[in-house]
Amino acid sequence: MDDRILSPRRTGLYVAIGVAVGVGVGLAGAPTLGPLATWCTAGLIALVSYLFRTALIATTLNLVTNLAQS
């Protein structure tokens, strides 16, 4: 199993989405909040993705274990 929490491909995707949000915030009239919106968005997406994948893996392993025991 890989020791990385996020793959480089996923990280790049999350940062790209964050940059798009940051540019949108900057163009909407709050250019000083653009960098904050960028990193908050990228971090939030990464956190939710990690938690979802962790929960999905744990649930799947629990189901497989229960099926194997029955």
Side-chain angles (χ1 to χ4, degrees), residues 4-37:
R4 287 183 270 183
I5 293 175
L6 293 173
S7 70
R9 184 178 56 93
R10 282 192 183 113
T11 304
L13 176 64
Y14 301 155
V15 171
I17 293 170
V19 167
V21 169
V23 168
V25 167
L27 292 176
T32 57
L33 294 178
L36 180 64

Side-chain angles (χ1 to χ4, degrees), residues 22-48:
V23 168
V25 167
L27 292 176
T32 57
L33 294 178
L36 180 64
T38 296
W39 290 112
C40 285
T41 302
L44 184 62
I45 292 172
L47 178 64
V48 169

Side-chain angles (χ1 to χ4, degrees), residues 53-69:
R53 285 186 299 121
T54 303
L56 185 64
I57 290 169
T59 303
T60 303
L61 289 176
N62 192 16
L63 288 173
V64 169
T65 304
N66 288 340
L67 285 174
Q69 291 176 351

